[in-house]
Amino acid sequence: MNNINKALFLSVIAFLALASSSCQKEVINDKIEPGKAYIELNLAEDFLAGDDSQFETKASTRATAINPIVSDTSMKYGEHMLDVQLIDSKLEDMKLNRPGSGSGGGLKAAAVSQVNRIAIGTRYRMIAFDSNGNYVAERVYTHGSEATQDSMKLDAGKTYSFIVYSFGSTTTDPAAVTYLNNVKKLDNVQLTGVTQDLMVYMLKNKALVYGTNRLDVVMKHKFSLITTTIEMSSNMNGFINKLNDVKFNGVSSSANYTFATENITYNNLGNGIAQVTFPSLGTGLRKVTSVPTLVIHETATDKTLSFGTLGMDDVAKAYSVPNIKVTPGHKYNLILRFRTCTQEVKLADDVLNWNYRENGNQTGVIGPDGQTIPNGQLLTKAFTAPASDYGFTFDFFQLDNAFNMKINDQWMVIDPDEGQIQFQTYNNTANNEGIITRNIEFIDGSEYSDRSDQINKWGIPPIWDLRGTNTNPIIRVSISKTGAISILGSKTSGGPLVQLRLRNKASFNSAVVWNTAGTNKIEITQKVSNNTIVIGRGYGKAKIACP
């Protein structure tokens, strides 16, 4: 082909292509109607994290009726002390990234947003208004199922305003809005008599394009959520065994919300209550956390948390924590940590101290006289404990791997199968013991490992691999002044003490009596089972006035 013909050919091809394109309509997505804009949402929720109030366990400043709970606050509960901590959720993590958050900085800081993804299954409502503020359309969606629900379809090339709101429910659609004077305009949208956890997002004057328009929606909480945790310090005896009629007082019963102005009107202001719900205490817990409590109220520092009855450590009484801070849109953790003040009534340091190693054929241990003590034989050490008005404590620094004790001739733990508290399950039939079965676990259901030098699926080693100190024992057994028994254990050497509970056929003996005015007879017992070790100390506890 010569150059002239080639040029002519290319010109013809270009003309045909141009003609073809000029006859075509706009390319349309066959899944989207011509001229339409489909709305998709990327959902999240937002709590504000701002000013906080904290406590330290060495606090000495007492709260008064006129001052809000502030840093270093303690209050009395009968013969005990209560340390109070009120913080925004995850505020501690945020502090790590704050400028000037070192030891010299204060606790006060500007509000920080804490954005989280909305839970799958949450139901929410979206309403669209045109550029003149007139109502256009609305849809109710279930988060995570939007792909199977009808998209909101609006006109491409036009401008709209959007309202998105939810109450966080996964079972009930959010209540419909109402309109002032029944005029369906953006400026008139409102919710009245709100008693749920309202979250709101509003976007004004959004120009839409043809196809899918994805909007990043962050719904902001309009009221406060407070999660209350009650815990006992490790030096206290007994359990939390009664929580009746727990509530925040002086709040609002409901509120009205105007979307255009973001104005909140509180109903029955200062005269409502917010009931606090805790899980079942069972036979008693050392730490218990409520479900989040919705508090509807304007910013205030005079709210009170009251207990119809708070029962722990042989004390049951009405109680209240005053001056709780309430700021709308904030999510708080309210931590109430109870402690007691005692001094030790000491015993001899060798009360809990024996270490018998297994013999060569693993049929028993080598006793103090060099002779074999066979597996299954009961070792006993008896002593007299002096009177103490707050009971008695045994701290174990090393244990392998079971024990029991008698207190004034009553077994502490009764188990018809094991006869003692057993921390391991294993088959020792070859060594004349048969099947040994664990009968104790942590309150969360985790347990100690059964294998030396190996952690289990909970990340916990066997009890005999742990080591404790006077400050951080691996096991603590407490006997209250009324004979109630509690056992705490650590999951790591030097780690915090966590509540343990008996299982299977094992149970605490309710017949145990502690003499607060006279001496007490104690016997520590252990069945020989290969290495047999108890190292620790025992001491009485006498109540003293807290500083």
Side-chain angles (χ1 to χ4, degrees):
M1 182 181 293
N2 59 38
N3 290 337
I4 295 176
N5 290 336
K6 182 176 181 181
L8 179 61
F9 174 78
L10 292 175
S11 297
V12 171
I13 294 298
F15 173 77
L16 292 174
L18 179 61
S20 174
S21 63
S22 65
C23 293
Q24 288 181 353
K25 295 180 179 180
E26 178 186 17
V27 176
I28 299 297
N29 186 325
D30 59 6
K31 295 182 179 179
I32 297 179
E33 298 175 27
K36 290 298 181 182
Y38 287 15
I39 308 301
E40 290 186 2
L41 303 183
N42 179 27
L43 289 180
E45 63 175 326
D46 179 29
F47 275 105
L48 289 177
D51 299 341
D52 69 319
S53 301
Q54 291 186 305
F55 79 102
E56 297 292 342
T57 56
K58 294 181 181 179
S60 58
T61 301
R62 303 290 168 82
T64 69
I66 58 174
N67 295 320
I69 292 177
V70 294
S71 179
D72 298 335
T73 297
S74 295
M75 293 177 283
K76 277 200 167 186
Y77 169 70
E79 298 177 337
H80 304 92
M81 294 300 295
L82 169 62
D83 297 318
V84 181
Q85 183 178 30
L86 178 67
I87 59 174
D88 278 341
S89 177
K90 296 186 179 178
L91 186 61
E92 292 303 307
D93 292 337
M94 296 177 187
K95 284 180 182 177
L96 296 177
N97 299 315
R98 287 181 183 166
S101 60
S103 59
L107 293 174
K108 222 168 195 180
V112 179
S113 289
Q114 179 187 328
V115 178
N116 299 301
R117 292 298 174 194
I118 291 287
I120 296 298
T122 299
R123 302 190 186 189
Y124 62 97
R125 187 182 296 267
M126 177 169 62
I127 310 175
F129 299 85
D130 65 18
S131 58
N132 294 316
N134 297 310
Y135 170 88
V136 176
E138 66 184 278
R139 295 281 189 279
V140 174
Y141 295 104
T142 299
H143 185 44
S145 301
E146 290 91 344
T148 64
Q149 298 174 289
D150 289 338
S151 296
M152 180 176 283
K153 302 170 186 177
L154 302 172
D155 292 334
K158 293 185 178 181
T159 298
Y160 293 88
S161 295
F162 297 92
I163 286 173
V164 183
Y165 67 96
S166 174
F167 297 112
S169 174
T170 58
T171 58
T172 305
D173 291 345
V177 298
T178 59
Y179 295 87
L180 185 65
N181 298 322
N182 292 321
V183 178
K184 300 181 77 171
K185 301 274 290 185
L186 177 60
D187 289 344
N188 297 335
V189 188
Q190 60 185 1
L191 284 167
T192 58
V194 178
T195 59
Q196 297 170 282
D197 181 17
L198 176 63
M199 298 179 283
V200 174
Y201 170 80
M202 190 168 181
L203 175 64
K204 291 185 177 181
N205 302 320
K206 173 66 176 177
L208 302 183
V209 298
Y210 170 76
T212 299
N213 293 252
R214 292 181 175 86
L215 307 181
D216 289 328
V217 172
V218 180
M219 291 189 287
K220 293 186 177 182
H221 290 259
K222 295 301 177 181
F223 308 130
S224 301
L225 282 177
I226 303 178
T227 300
T228 304
T229 297
I230 304 170
E231 56 185 78
M232 303 171 66
S233 69
S234 61
N235 73 336
M236 289 183 69
N237 299 327
F239 304 97
I240 305 164
N241 52 29
K242 187 173 291 186
L243 289 171
N244 292 335
D245 194 23
V246 185
K247 58 193 175 186
F248 289 97
N249 300 285
V251 301
S252 298
S253 57
S254 65
N256 304 331
Y257 183 75
T258 303
F259 286 83
T261 61
E262 299 185 69
N263 182 60
I264 301 175
T265 303
Y266 296 95
N267 301 319
N268 197 29
L269 184 63
N271 297 313
I273 63 170
Q275 208 74 35
V276 182
T277 302
F278 288 93
S280 171
L281 298 176
T283 57
L285 296 174
R286 303 273 304 182
K287 178 179 180 179
V288 62
T289 299
S290 74
V291 299
T293 304
L294 180 67
V295 176
I296 300 175
H297 204 280
E298 60 187 1
T299 298
T301 56
D302 62 348
K303 303 305 108 185
T304 299
L305 175 65
S306 65
F307 297 80
T309 306
L310 170 59
M312 68 171 70
D313 191 13
D314 304 323
V315 177
K317 58 181 288 186
Y319 190 68
S320 63
V321 180
N323 308 320
I324 301 296
K325 178 177 181 177
V326 179
T327 302
H330 288 236
K331 184 178 183 180
Y332 293 105
N333 289 326
L334 175 61
I335 301 173
L336 309 178
R337 181 173 291 120
F338 290 84
R339 57 187 171 89
T340 191
C341 300
T342 63
Q343 65 182 12
E344 292 186 10
V345 181
K346 292 186 177 181
L347 299 177
D349 291 336
D350 63 348
V351 165
L352 297 179
N353 191 2
W354 63 76
N355 188 340
Y356 299 141
R357 296 293 173 173
E358 64 186 12
N359 59 13
N361 56 11
Q362 296 185 320
T363 59
V365 296
I366 304 300
D369 57 359
Q371 301 299 309
T372 293
I373 304 173
N375 286 333
Q377 183 169 320
L378 195 67
L379 299 178
T380 300
K381 187 164 188 177
F383 57 92
T384 298
S388 51
D389 62 7
Y390 193 61
F392 201 85
T393 295
F394 294 92
D395 285 343
F396 292 76
F397 311 143
Q398 190 175 348
L399 177 66
D400 190 350
N401 53 289
F403 73 95
N404 203 350
M405 63 180 69
K406 277 186 176 181
I407 304 160
N408 294 320
D409 297 319
Q410 293 288 338
W411 285 110
M412 181 183 76
V413 170
I414 299 172
D415 188 326
D417 292 338
E418 298 302 322
Q420 58 184 349
I421 303 173
Q422 177 56 251
F423 287 81
Q424 181 190 18
T425 294
Y426 60 104
N427 187 342
N428 211 24
T429 303
N431 298 321
N432 305 317
E433 282 194 282
I435 304 298
I436 307 299
T437 303
R438 182 198 329 272
N439 58 9
I440 193 168
E441 64 186 7
F442 289 100
I443 194 68
D444 61 5
S446 61
E447 58 190 36
Y448 290 101
S449 175
D450 290 326
R451 297 182 177 274
S452 294
D453 302 317
Q454 293 186 26
I455 62 173
N456 56 20
K457 64 181 180 180
W458 294 286
I460 306 173
I463 188 71
W464 58 86
D465 281 348
L466 297 179
R467 298 294 183 270
T469 65
N470 280 7
T471 305
N472 300 105
I474 60 171
I475 297 292
R476 172 167 289 168
V477 178
S478 295
I479 308 164
S480 78
K481 61 186 179 183
T482 62
I485 309 296
S486 59
I487 301 181
L488 310 178
S490 176
K491 298 182 180 183
T492 59
S493 294
L497 292 170
V498 180
Q499 183 179 349
L500 287 159
R501 65 186 177 195
L502 300 176
R503 71 182 192 191
N504 304 336
K505 296 180 182 179
S507 62
F508 291 118
N509 185 357
S510 61
V512 170
V513 174
W514 183 258
N515 298 321
T516 59
T519 58
N520 295 271
K521 179 182 177 183
I522 307 292
E523 296 177 49
I524 305 292
T525 65
Q526 229 184 355
K527 286 183 183 178
V528 174
S529 181
N530 302 332
N531 290 333
T532 302
I533 303 170
V534 170
I535 297 176
R537 71 188 188 106
Y539 51 95
K541 291 190 291 187
K543 293 295 293 292
I544 60 173
C546 290

